[in-house]
Each structure stands twice: as C-alpha cells, then as structure tokens.
C-alpha cells in the first residue's frame, strides 16, 4: 500500500514537472517573439533617427549655401516638413516599441 501511494505521488510529481517544462517552452517562445519585435522596432527607430539627423544636416547645408530669399524659403519649408514627418515617424516607432516592451 505504501509503495502504491509513493508511486502515485511520484507520477503526479513527474506530470507536474512535465507540465511546467511545457509552460516554460511556451513562455520562452513568446519571449523570443517579443524580443524579435523589439529588435525590429529598435532598428526602425534608429533608422528614423538617422533620417532625422540627415534632414537636419541637409537643412544646415542648404542654409549655408543657397542664395536668394524665395528659393531659400522653399527649401527651409521643405526641410521643416521632412523633419516633421521624420519626427512623427520616430514618435510612432517609439510608441510601438514601448507598447511591445510593456506586454
């Protein structure tokens, strides 16, 4: 009788351990998925930041080289618009990254 009870407890413990191992595998797969999402969002954010920096550099370059008020104003407006678009894209990517990191 004692052996039977011990055997039952042993099998129950083995079953619990197997269930926990399966749960760990599922959680690890989910964590890997979110790491990949995070890595992609980070790369996209870095690229948007690079584009923003490049737009700022171009703006400074244009302001230093261009002659003529009308042309200069058009270029400044265009660069400001591009800058705005890149900042919005950067903000959106940062929001996505923060959202995914909080999950």
């Amino acid at each position: 009788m004692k052996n039977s009870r011990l055997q039952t407890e042993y099998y129950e413990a083995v079953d619990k351990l197997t269930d926990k191992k399966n749960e760990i595998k599922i959680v690890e797969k989910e964590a890997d998925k979110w790491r990949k999402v995070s890595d992609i969002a980070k790369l996209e954010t870095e690229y948007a930041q690079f584009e923003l920096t490049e737009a700022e550099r171009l703006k400074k370059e244009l302001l230093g080289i261009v002659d003529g008020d009308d042309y200069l104003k058009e270029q400044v407006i265009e660069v400001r618009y591009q800058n705005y678009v890149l900042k919005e894209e950067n903000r959106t990517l940062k929001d996505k990254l923060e959202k995914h990191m909080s999950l």
Side-chain angles (χ1 to χ4, degrees):
M1 188 71 154
K2 197 174 188 180
N3 277 342
S4 174
R5 197 180 94 219
L6 286 174
Q7 238 179 357
T8 301
E9 288 177 10
Y10 171 78
Y11 287 124
E12 286 174 357
V14 169
D15 286 343
K16 285 181 184 179
L17 181 60
T18 301
D19 289 345
K20 288 297 176 188
K21 284 182 181 179
N22 289 336
E23 287 176 24
I24 289 170
K25 285 180 185 178
I26 291 169
V27 169
E28 286 175 341
K29 285 181 183 179
E30 191 68 17
D32 285 343
K33 180 179 87 173
W34 287 113
R35 268 189 228 104
K36 288 175 185 173
V37 167
S38 174
D39 290 345
I40 290 169
K42 181 180 177 187
L43 288 173
E44 289 176 348
T45 301
E46 288 172 355
Y47 183 71
Q49 187 63 44
F50 167 78
E51 287 181 325
L52 181 61
T53 302
E54 186 62 16
E56 289 290 330
R57 186 193 62 76
L58 273 172
K59 179 176 94 174
K60 288 178 183 176
E61 184 179 307
L62 286 172
L63 290 173
I65 295 175
V66 177
D67 290 330
D69 261 359
D70 291 338
Y71 181 77
L72 180 60
K73 287 177 186 175
E74 286 177 19
Q75 293 302 310
V76 169
I77 289 169
E78 179 63 27
V79 169
R80 284 184 180 169
Y81 174 74
Q82 290 174 4
N83 192 18
Y84 171 79
V85 169
L86 291 172
K87 281 182 180 178
E88 286 299 309
E89 183 179 344
N90 194 19
R91 184 185 58 78
T92 301
L93 291 171
K94 284 181 181 179
D95 290 346
K96 284 181 183 179
L97 177 62
E98 288 175 10
K99 179 181 175 186
H100 289 297
M101 294 300 284
S102 68
L103 295 177

